[in-house]
Amino acid sequence: MRSDRRVSWKVRRRAFHLWQRRPHEVFPIKEGVQVCASCGTQFEGNYCPRCGQSAMIGRFSFKTAIKLFVDVWGLGNRGMFRSIRDLLLRPGYMIRDYLRGMQSAYFPPFKMFFLLTTFSLLVTHVFQPGSNKAHEAAEMQTAVVAAPADTLNTAEVVADNEVKADNDVDEVVKRRLKYVKWYVTLKDDYPSIFSFILLLFFAFPLYIFFRHSPAIPDLRFSEQVVALTYVSCMTSIYSILGIILHLTFVFDILTLIAICIALHQFSGFRYRRLMFILLLSLLLFILAIAAVTALSALFVALQEKI
């Protein structure tokens, strides 16, 4: 009995792996002559060559009404739901399919990135109201006002948009505080742009190792950015699920595992070598951020001397 269960499990696992590697299959061409319900053109195939309407259009149903509703929010394309499914079950293979030209089957990566980032903030605000930045900003503003002047010139102090410096704070401190406020404003008010900038920074060191990967030996940097954008969308999905189910810590661990699986499927590297590459890329990423921070501090210092 146990042997039968083991065989059944192996068969299902093998079938799942085969499904993961199989690209998306489009609908077969509809046979016979069709008449477009919109412009009356006769044609053969699935779409009207004159107006582009699908030959599958029929009478309205409850399912059609739901599709029209979600289309208002930019989710009507079935590629969105297919993209979410494949990012959870076959992320690396799905990204490779997209880069090879199967773009109509999946939701555009950058549009999906900004939509999921915005939706993640909405879910966080609804399900975790205690994590609202307003409370943290109010506490930080109180700390800034109460802090002595010599502590205001460190990057450890984060200023809110409405921080008003005291009269005894000199012009140098105000300039440095303005630079810190700009960073905090970009991070809190424009999280999508901030996340995308960090993604670009991480794409550079990772591309050094991935440009000659076994699966894509001639990988371009633009393709690396697209791949990381999809991986970031995948992490947003896991984050949203963790917040909704109140299992944030569990889904954080699942996210780390999913990232390794996605990059393994995408690059073809073995997991041991992939972990080594990720550690080196993370180190280079930290050095790049430190270099940009140092250059920004140097720029502020030069402004102070002018």
Side-chain angles (χ1 to χ4, degrees), residues 36-152:
C36 180
S38 180
C39 63
T41 302
Q42 294 185 355
F43 63 96
E44 295 182 0
N46 294 340
Y47 295 94
C48 175
R50 183 177 179 185
C51 66
Q53 181 165 287
S54 174
M56 307 295 180
I57 295 295
R59 297 187 62 181
F60 272 90
S61 62
F62 185 71
K63 182 179 180 180
T64 306
I66 294 178
K67 288 182 179 180
L68 291 176
F69 174 77
V70 297
D71 185 64
V72 176
W73 308 99
L75 305 178
N77 185 355
R78 290 185 306 150
M80 180 65 166
F81 303 103
R82 184 186 301 115
S83 300
I84 293 176
R85 181 201 66 183
D86 286 6
L87 282 176
L88 293 177
L89 300 179
R90 52 184 301 269
Y93 300 123
M94 171 249 176
I95 296 172
R96 281 163 55 180
D97 292 341
Y98 183 85
L99 294 179
R100 288 171 179 170
M102 192 175 288
Q103 300 182 6
S104 62
Y106 298 105
F107 205 75
F110 301 108
K111 185 177 181 180
M112 188 178 186
F113 174 82
F114 288 107
L115 282 175
L116 287 177
T117 303
T118 304
F119 186 66
S120 177
L121 292 175
L122 178 63
V123 170
T124 303
H125 179 74
V126 173
F127 289 88
Q128 293 182 345
S131 63
N132 193 351
K133 297 295 183 181
H135 301 285
E136 300 177 5
E139 296 177 358
M140 187 60 64
Q141 183 173 354
T142 303
V144 170
V145 173
D150 58 348
T151 61
L152 293 177

Side-chain angles (χ1 to χ4, degrees), residues 140 143-144 147-160 163 169-170 172-184 293 297 300 304:
M140 187 60 64
V144 170
D150 58 348
T151 61
L152 293 177
N153 59 354
T154 64
E156 301 291 334
V157 178
V158 181
D160 189 69
V163 171
V169 180
D170 58 10
V172 174
V173 174
K174 289 182 180 180
R175 289 183 179 180
R176 295 182 179 179
L177 191 59
K178 183 179 179 180
Y179 169 74
V180 176
K181 284 181 59 179
W182 175 85
Y183 171 82
V184 175
T293 304
V300 173
E304 295 171 0

